Amino acid sequence: MNDERRSRADALLGTIGAPGGGQLKVFLGAAPGVGKTFAMLSAARELTRQGVDVAVGLVETHGRQETASLLDGLDVLARRRIEHRGKSIDEMDLDALLARRPQLALVDELAHRNAPGSRHPFRYQDIEELLDAGIDVYTTLNIQHLESLNDLVRQLTGVRVNETVPDAFLDRARDLVLVDLPPRELIERLRQGKVYAPDLASSALQRFFSPANLTALRDLAVQQIGDRVDADLREQQTAHGHVQVPVRRRVLVAIDGREGSDFLVRAGRKVAERRGAPWTAVFVDTGSGDLQRQRRVDEAFALASRLGGDTQTLHGGNIANALLAYGRQVAVSALLIGRSRERPFARMLNRTLSQQLLRKGAHLELIILSSPAARARARRELVSATARPGLQHELVQAGIASLLAVLLAWLAERWFRLEDLSLVFMTAVVVVGSRSRQGVAVATAAVCFLAYNFLFTEPYHTFYVHAREDVLTIGLFLVAALICGRLASRLRQQVVALRSANAVGEALRRLNRDLAAAADETGVLRAGARALRDALGAEVICLVRSESGIGPRATWSEPPGLQLSEGSLAAATWAIDHQQPAGRFTDTLQGTPWWCLPMVVEERCLGAVALRLPETDRGSGAMREGLAGLLVQEVAQALARVRLVDALEASRIQGETERLRAALLASVSHDLRSPLSAIIGSAESLTRFDEQLSSADRGELAAAILAEGRRLDRYIQNLLDMTRLGHGGLKLERDWIGLDEILGEAVQRLQRLFPQVPVRLSLDPGLPLVYVHPALVEQALFNILENAARFSPKGEAVDVLVSVAAGQVRIDVIDRGPGIPEAERSRIFDFFYSVERGDRDRHGTGLGLTICQGMIGAHGGSVEALPGPHDTGTRIRVTLPLPEAPAHPETE
Amino acid sequence: MTASPARILVIDDEPQIRRFLSIALRAEGYDVGLAASGREGFEELASRGADAVVLDLGLPDMDGSEVLAEIRRWSQVPVLVLSVRTAEKEKVALLDAGANDYLTKPFGMQELAARLRALLRAPRGASDSPLYEDGHLRVDLARRDVSVQGRPISLSRKEFALLALLMAHSDKVVTQRQLLGELWGPSHVDDTHYLRIAVGKLRAKLGEDASRPRYIETRPGVGLLFRSHQGPVG
């Protein structure tokens, strides 16, 4: 539902002209042959039908008939021929495409490397140029061509893929569409020679297309799509290094029996659950015999069992080795460990557990988690690192440094010359200068000089400056102190600035990603509230200005269930009315704990965001305001966008409803009245002239009543079906069923109405089950059959062919009637066309086929009209996607 | 068998429907009773009895499903329900409540007559006759023997159970939930693909063409029906 809404939203945005270049849509597949190009062309055809100007820049059909047939009727641009070393290579004509300026350009195989002599070395650069020119682009991509996955794919399949696309390019895509085909079927297609794999040597082909590889690639593709949707998932995958086989394998949670073991167990369960993977909590017993620790481990194990995980105690001297050995044994994909206590020496020697694991367990995904307590501690440390250490602290440091210098100099005095001793003091000055504020550094310089002068220069034990060199020494000391101090403080400022810039950038990036996925108001507010919570550590309430003017209405809070007090609500209302911040940190109503920021877009206030920052928050005001302001502004923009889309959608539906009403009224007055007048007339004649009528006439009149009655019934049935279909509001009750069963029922129904029309069924043996709403599909097929039967010449059969290909099942219904003129073929499914024509003339099909398309479309399938074989009659082709077969039941 | 014509009770509030049904059914050779409301229907059924009931769901005094439930409290007379086209769920509910078959308005007279013939012909209660034999298919429920055109075929446990269950309700639509619940247990009532696979295998073994089934008919989204071709039980 959401997807549908989004794509509709996209289409609308497309029509009003999105700023900043064209939109990119990528059809992503796990391997060649899954039907990406097919899907792309189908989508483009649909858009063409809606009146979008589509041009085909370049599409490779690889001689596949079904794909080539989709190119019919699309504007295919001629290719450009490039001569290279005596060979001629056909490439996409970028300039022609830019000059043609379609709304949408189709460019196949995103990862393609252009022939030498082209404008850009890679096709994705061509596409970039198209997008920058404001042209929307549809393209296709196999997952193994994604740069970041290149190594992984080689690891998995042993095949190196040379043509890659940078991941950043994929980020430009507004939509990723996953074209999926179960591996079993792909291999079947491959065997039948239906798959053309250009960039793989034939010896590698066998290996590449093994079921295991395809499953893994498919997993990667699904993961790629999932990554863009599920923000949390991506966070957990930042540790993603070389996962040997990224399919659902066990997650290990290593606990050590210290504080936070419970937390690790819970976190591990979350990670495993999200991946649908089994998980085990492990403890490595190194034989320490610590009873309290053992007790904590037992508690954590009990918790793990309650949460559905396994538990395992390992024995061994080295924790990392024990974990890795166990990991190899049970096929583990990820290892979750707690952050070890900082032991500086171990860290220096690369001996901490995480370091050892990183080094030895490169094939594993390693997730290192801090317990909440450790995290709070780290946060405190971070704050103190960015804030200046106290003056006292620095003075003590400086004192110690000076003392050490005196001591060292005193020791060195016996072996070194006097001039060298000054270097010792200089070192102390530089060290202090680089770590302390300028005043302290200067003071240190003075102290060091005095000590040097007093203790080591002649005359000893006086402050008398004897020689010119000594004056120079003082000067140097002071200069060194000043320079170091300046450098150090600038460095510190840079670190602080970088850190906050990073935080702002990261928060914005994540917010934008989540906002892009949000399809409605709630989605936008939820994403915004989460981003604000994560970035500022604050509690967040989003308020939307109500149209009725009763004051704002809280629509989303993070954590959920928060309420504003009356005073705070007043602050929020003020913020909305005056389009200025209010509450805490401001001059207005500052007594409330909430800081209320208005969401303003183009001088209209849409609502406000109320933030309650932790009491301890003492971060810089400017940074906090900057970050919060930026995030709130983003949310406001996104909110305005979804509202605009909703408004456009509403007005479009309004317009369509009006048109529909007019069309239906016209149709009802004709299609209901004409059969009724025939029925009334015939029946009246029968009753009034009964005696005078011949039996043949009587029979004819009765037959007319019957036929017109049925026509009326069909018409009313169609109206009911239209209501049932609504406009997108259909609820599918899917169920497994055999197509032969559905077709059998539809054919039997048809035979009752048209006993004189023979129907020939031809089914592929071993048809898989379909997962559909049986009654709807049956009605849809019946409509097509009935249409075919009505137009069939006497004695000619209607043929029904069912076949399976490319993860789809195809049902062709072929009649030998007059056929449909080519110009009308695509229009017979159009609602208004059908309604306006009614079923009054020979070609008119009534609403039957429109309904059929609605019903099949609701299942993700398609219906199209094609000429019959040898150009006689009509072939209506229904295509339904096949789901993966369900688990095999026990039938014995 | 008795020589007197079978009696059909039509419960429908529309006079036109009652009139044409009564004319058409008499022409088919039945004795016809008419009732315009649920209450009249009970009285008629209680006082004069019927071999089959044609029940319209939209009655003025009570809901058709209530009438059905009331009838089922004291009678096993076959009931054919007439309804306007409704959601499959409603049909399933009616069948589960004890209806034998349903027909969607508007319907053809031929269709109604065929359904009624099937209902009247169906032997009530499978335990009475553990043997089914129609010259093509032979099923010995007691000995678990099934043969088609004299050739014995071997069915798996589940396939046989499915066949037996459908035959126990010959010519009556058995809903998917009922089949799944009885064959696979209550936790599997939604695993309809179990049923589909079993039906597919059973049909294949019986030599059935699923698109023109002779014995096992599918009512999409509702259930399955075993069509008996056996003459009246003698």
Side-chain angles (χ1 to χ4, degrees):
Chain A
M1 205 62 224
N2 234 3
D3 277 356
E4 196 184 312
R5 201 189 152 90
R6 256 202 90 190
S7 61
R8 230 183 311 153
D10 287 352
L12 282 168
L13 280 179
T15 56
I16 58 172
Q23 312 280 4
L24 177 66
K25 184 170 193 159
V26 179
F27 291 79
L28 187 69
V34 296
K36 295 177 301 297
T37 306
F38 191 86
M40 174 174 79
L41 288 174
S42 306
R45 283 183 79 92
E46 184 56 39
L47 284 179
T48 316
R49 198 174 292 160
Q50 292 168 14
V52 176
D53 178 23
V54 179
V56 179
L58 183 134
V59 164
E60 298 287 355
T61 60
H62 300 310
R64 291 177 205 144
Q65 278 302 318
E66 48 199 77
T67 312
S69 70
L70 282 180
L71 276 173
D72 282 356
L74 288 176
D75 179 13
V76 183
L77 265 68
R79 301 187 186 187
R80 197 163 66 95
R81 179 148 296 191
I82 294 178
E83 303 291 335
H84 179 67
R85 291 191 187 153
K87 280 199 296 186
S88 57
I89 302 167
D90 284 342
E91 286 290 359
M92 179 173 77
D93 194 340
L94 179 59
D95 288 318
L97 193 53
L98 284 167
R100 160 84 171 68
R101 281 203 70 82
Q103 277 170 282
L104 171 68
L106 307 187
V107 184
D108 215 356
E109 288 176 17
L110 175 60
H112 176 78
R113 188 194 291 267
N114 287 335
S118 309
R119 173 144 27 142
H120 303 296
F122 294 103
R123 181 166 291 161
Y124 71 82
Q125 293 165 319
D126 293 346
I127 293 181
E128 251 168 0
E129 199 169 328
L130 289 171
L131 292 171
D132 291 341
I135 299 171
D136 291 354
V137 177
Y138 279 11
T139 185
T140 62
L141 178 70
N142 284 325
I143 190 71
Q144 73 264 28
H145 292 294
L146 204 57
E147 186 142 331
S148 62
L149 298 178
N150 197 263
D151 281 345
L152 189 55
V153 168
R154 189 163 55 107
Q155 228 179 29
L156 278 168
T157 62
V159 177
R160 174 169 273 299
V161 178
N162 289 321
E163 299 171 327
T164 59
V165 178
D167 293 52
F169 183 79
L170 215 59
D171 291 341
R172 278 194 75 158
R174 188 188 172 89
D175 280 316
L176 277 185
V177 177
L178 180 63
V179 182
D180 195 23
L181 184 67
R184 194 168 39 81
E185 271 156 40
L186 181 55
I187 291 169
E188 181 56 27
R189 292 193 67 191
L190 183 72
R191 259 193 334 108
Q192 295 170 355
K194 287 181 179 169
V195 174
Y196 171 76
D199 50 352
L200 298 167
S202 60
S203 62
L205 204 67
Q206 203 74 30
R207 212 152 26 118
F208 187 79
F209 281 99
S210 76
N213 281 352
L214 289 176
T215 308
L217 285 172
R218 188 173 179 221
D219 230 73
L220 276 180
V222 171
Q223 213 172 15
Q224 195 65 29
I225 297 274
D227 276 5
R228 294 173 64 93
V229 179
D230 191 337
D232 293 343
L233 190 64
R234 177 170 285 190
E235 276 171 45
Q236 279 159 0
Q237 282 170 343
T238 45
H240 199 112
H242 299 271
V243 185
Q244 208 155 34
V245 182
V247 285
R248 315 246 175 271
R249 306 182 86 180
R250 192 167 285 271
V251 172
L252 276 195
V253 184
I255 55 171
D256 60 0
R258 293 206 181 82
E259 58 161 342
S261 288
D262 288 4
F263 169 78
L264 273 182
V265 168
R266 281 182 219 283
R269 177 211 181 203
K270 257 187 232 159
V271 171
E273 207 168 56
R274 212 178 294 270
R275 297 169 182 213
W279 59 286
T280 307
V282 239
F283 169 63
V284 181
D285 187 359
T286 51
S288 70
D290 183 338
L291 278 178
Q292 194 189 353
R293 191 184 228 196
Q294 191 56 48
R295 195 175 48 77
R296 284 221 191 97
V297 169
D298 289 344
E299 280 169 14
F301 273 9
L303 177 67
S305 304
R306 279 203 303 281
L307 296 178
D310 300 332
T311 59
Q312 178 77 39
T313 302
L314 308 171
H315 298 274
N318 181 301
I319 298 176
N321 289 347
L323 284 174
L324 291 173
Y326 181 69
R328 269 192 296 280
Q329 204 181 319
V330 296
V332 163
S333 68
L335 177 57
L336 215 95
I337 60 172
R339 209 184 156 80
S340 17
R341 282 169 310 158
E342 284 301 328
R343 289 175 299 169
F345 285 110
R347 188 171 52 181
M348 250 182 266
L349 295 171
N350 260 347
R351 295 293 298 166
T352 66
L353 178 60
S354 42
Q355 281 167 331
Q356 287 183 56
L357 284 172
L358 278 172
R359 204 170 59 242
K360 298 176 189 167
H363 57 291
L364 281 182
E365 188 176 343
L366 196 60
I367 302 172
I368 305 173
L369 280 184
S370 301
S371 66
R375 236 183 274 167
R377 209 181 306 133
R379 215 173 286 134
R380 279 199 298 279
E381 275 165 22
L382 197 67
V383 170
S384 59
T386 42
R388 290 211 128 199
L391 179 64
Q392 241 174 354
H393 188 70
E394 282 184 12
L395 282 175
V396 171
Q397 275 187 345
I400 293 173
S402 310
L403 258 173
L404 273 176
V406 170
L407 211 66
L408 256 173
W410 179 69
L411 284 173
E413 196 186 4
R414 305 164 191 204
W415 298 289
F416 293 98
R417 287 180 301 144
L418 175 64
E419 294 87 81
D420 298 332
L421 294 184
S422 68
L423 289 180
V424 174
F425 286 98
M426 182 63 94
T427 310
V429 170
V430 169
V431 167
V432 172
S434 67
R435 300 177 61 93
S436 316
R437 62 195 75 191
Q438 212 144 351
V440 177
V442 170
T444 312
V447 168
C448 281
F449 170 73
L450 290 176
Y452 172 67
N453 188 4
F454 190 77
L455 295 173
F456 300 105
T457 62
E458 289 179 58
Y460 295 111
H461 307 296
T462 68
F463 289 113
Y464 182 67
V465 177
H466 176 67
R468 241 186 308 171
E469 297 90 67
D470 295 340
V471 179
L472 184 64
T473 312
I474 304 182
L476 286 178
F477 273 28
L478 287 176
V479 169
L482 287 173
I483 292 178
C484 287
R486 281 297 286 271
L487 280 179
S489 74
R490 196 181 304 160
L491 198 64
R492 193 179 307 110
Q493 277 165 8
Q494 276 170 354
V495 168
V496 171
L498 265 178
R499 236 177 233 158
S500 63
N502 261 346
V504 172
E506 175 68 7
L508 268 180
R509 195 182 62 75
R510 276 168 45 188
L511 174 62
N512 276 323
R513 185 193 55 201
D514 292 351
L515 284 180
D520 54 11
E521 207 168 300
T522 317
V524 165
L525 294 178
R526 182 176 50 213
R530 292 200 173 144
L532 282 161
R533 178 198 61 189
D534 293 346
L536 298 167
E539 293 171 310
V540 185
I541 299 181
C542 294
L543 300 116
V544 175
R545 176 188 210 140
S546 65
E547 302 305 325
S548 48
I550 321 169
R553 166 170 61 86
T555 44
W556 192 268
S557 77
E558 196 65 51
L562 291 180
Q563 291 284 337
L564 279 185
S565 70
E566 208 168 302
S568 307
L569 195 62
T573 313
W574 193 92
I576 291 175
D577 290 346
H578 295 80
Q579 307 197 355
Q580 273 175 21
R584 194 180 166 198
F585 306 123
T586 69
D587 302 331
T588 313
L589 299 166
Q590 49 182 268
T592 66
W594 291 88
W595 179 32
C596 305
L597 297 166
M599 293 192 275
V600 182
V601 176
E602 285 163 5
E603 303 187 355
R604 276 194 56 229
C605 191
L606 306 175
V609 175
L611 298 165
R612 183 157 63 190
L613 288 120
E615 284 306 318
T616 52
D617 184 79
R618 273 192 283 276
S620 126
M623 181 195 146
R624 181 189 58 222
E625 264 161 40
L627 181 54
L630 268 175
L631 293 180
V632 170
Q633 190 53 37
E634 287 291 325
V635 176
Q637 294 283 5
L639 197 60
R641 170 177 65 88
V642 295
R643 285 197 174 171
L644 178 63
V645 169
D646 282 350
L648 281 171
E649 175 80 332
S651 70
R652 189 181 65 83
I653 288 175
Q654 179 67 28
E656 271 195 6
T657 313
E658 287 301 320
R659 211 178 137 200
L660 180 68
R661 188 175 301 149
L664 274 181
L665 264 178
S667 150
V668 165
S669 64
H670 174 272
D671 288 324
L672 281 182
R673 274 192 185 150
S674 45
L676 268 178
S677 42
I679 291 172
I680 293 170
S682 305
E684 211 173 7
S685 312
L686 275 178
T687 42
R688 280 186 64 186
F689 310 116
D690 189 28
E691 313 285 280
Q692 294 121 290
L693 291 172
S694 68
S695 79
D697 285 346
R698 267 202 301 271
E700 211 163 287
L701 286 174
I705 293 175
L706 189 62
E708 290 301 298
R710 279 181 180 158
R711 181 172 155 199
L712 204 56
D713 175 39
R714 189 173 63 235
Y715 180 75
I716 291 168
Q717 190 61 67
N718 283 344
L719 281 184
L720 288 176
D721 282 335
M722 285 309 294
T723 332
R724 197 173 180 188
L725 275 172
H727 257 205
L730 179 71
K731 188 171 166 291
L732 290 185
E733 285 158 21
R734 286 183 188 258
D735 199 353
W736 292 99
I737 192 158
L739 257 185
D740 48 358
E741 297 181 77
I742 298 187
L743 270 169
E745 176 70 15
V747 169
Q748 284 176 23
R749 244 172 93 189
L750 184 76
Q751 302 278 279
R752 291 201 282 272
L753 275 180
F754 295 88
Q756 77 285 5
V757 179
V759 179
R760 285 197 299 248
L761 263 175
S762 150
L763 306 170
D764 261 9
L767 272 183
L769 296 178
V770 288
Y771 189 58
V772 295
H773 189 147
L776 284 188
V777 172
E778 194 259 341
Q779 182 65 39
L781 294 175
F782 175 79
N783 284 0
I784 298 175
L785 283 169
E786 191 204 19
N787 199 51
R790 280 171 60 203
F791 292 126
S792 274
K794 228 179 186 140
E796 291 279 9
V798 171
D799 277 303
V800 182
L801 311 174
V802 186
S803 57
V804 175
Q808 295 177 318
V809 62
R810 200 159 75 189
I811 306 152
D812 284 359
V813 177
I814 303 162
D815 67 59
R816 300 200 165 48
I820 302 170
E822 190 170 354
E824 286 179 27
R825 261 179 223 145
S826 62
R827 299 184 63 196
I828 57 169
F829 300 106
D830 181 79
F831 175 74
F832 294 109
Y833 179 80
S834 312
V835 169
E836 279 152 19
R837 275 182 81 109
D839 59 357
R840 65 197 80 162
D841 62 17
R842 185 107 180 90
H843 295 305
T845 56
L847 284 169
L849 289 180
T850 313
I851 289 164
C852 169
Q853 195 186 38
M855 288 173 166
I856 297 294
H859 287 85
S862 64
V863 188
E864 57 187 324
L866 303 167
H870 317 300
D871 274 333
T872 55
T874 306
R875 177 198 296 261
I876 303 279
R877 171 168 294 173
V878 175
T879 316
L880 278 171
L882 277 178
E884 217 172 330
H888 229 62
E890 159 264 331
T891 48
E892 291 314 307
Chain B
M1 291 300 286
T2 51
S4 67
R7 182 176 162 79
I8 313 279
L9 173 60
V10 176
I11 310 178
D12 196 317
D13 63 320
E14 296 253 8
Q16 282 78 12
I17 303 257
R18 281 204 306 276
R19 191 178 310 150
F20 108 76
L21 279 180
S22 122
I23 293 172
L25 289 174
R26 278 204 192 99
E28 292 270 346
Y30 295 115
D31 179 13
V32 180
L34 297 173
S37 67
R39 204 152 308 285
E40 265 182 50
F42 294 145
E43 283 164 14
E44 184 76 14
L45 188 60
S47 59
R48 304 188 54 195
D51 296 300
V53 174
V54 176
L55 170 66
D56 180 47
L57 280 189
L59 293 176
D61 57 340
M62 54 205 293
D63 195 53
S65 51
E66 292 173 52
V67 180
L68 180 63
E70 182 63 30
I71 291 177
R72 276 291 168 262
R73 277 176 51 199
W74 45 272
S75 167
Q76 286 306 310
V77 62
V79 175
L80 176 81
V81 169
L82 298 181
S83 70
V84 289
R85 211 171 88 114
T86 49
E88 299 79 57
K89 273 187 181 162
E90 201 170 309
K91 292 174 184 165
V92 171
L94 284 170
L95 292 166
D96 279 339
N100 294 60
D101 205 348
Y102 63 84
L103 207 51
T104 303
K105 281 184 182 176
F107 50 89
M109 201 46 224
Q110 274 185 33
E111 179 78 11
L112 177 70
R115 299 282 178 99
L116 279 176
R117 271 198 301 280
L119 284 183
L120 291 168
R121 183 182 55 216
R124 301 268 85 73
S127 54
D128 301 345
S129 57
L131 187 72
Y132 175 91
E133 166 78 71
D134 68 2
H136 179 82
L137 174 70
R138 182 179 186 282
V139 181
D140 187 334
L141 290 168
R143 296 178 52 197
R144 300 185 152 249
D145 276 346
V146 182
S147 57
V148 176
Q149 290 183 320
R151 270 193 304 278
I153 57 171
S154 96
L155 296 180
S156 76
R157 208 162 45 77
K158 280 280 187 283
E159 287 156 12
F160 184 82
L162 174 61
L163 180 62
L165 186 54
L166 287 174
M167 289 178 78
H169 304 275
S170 280
D171 295 296
K172 174 180 182 316
V173 180
V174 187
T175 60
Q176 299 193 128
R177 286 177 72 84
Q178 195 184 341
L179 290 167
L180 282 162
E182 291 201 21
L183 292 178
W184 278 274
S187 58
H188 287 292
V189 288
D190 292 320
D191 291 331
T192 46
H193 57 282
Y194 286 23
L195 184 61
R196 296 266 86 88
I197 291 171
V199 170
K201 287 186 176 166
L202 178 58
R203 276 190 174 132
K205 287 184 181 175
L206 294 182
E208 289 254 88
D209 173 1
S211 53
R212 289 189 179 82
R214 186 178 154 89
Y215 295 110
I216 301 174
E217 295 178 11
T218 300
R219 299 286 158 83
V222 179
L224 296 167
L225 174 146
F226 180 84
R227 185 64 76 200
S228 165
H229 293 273
Q230 192 171 235
V233 186

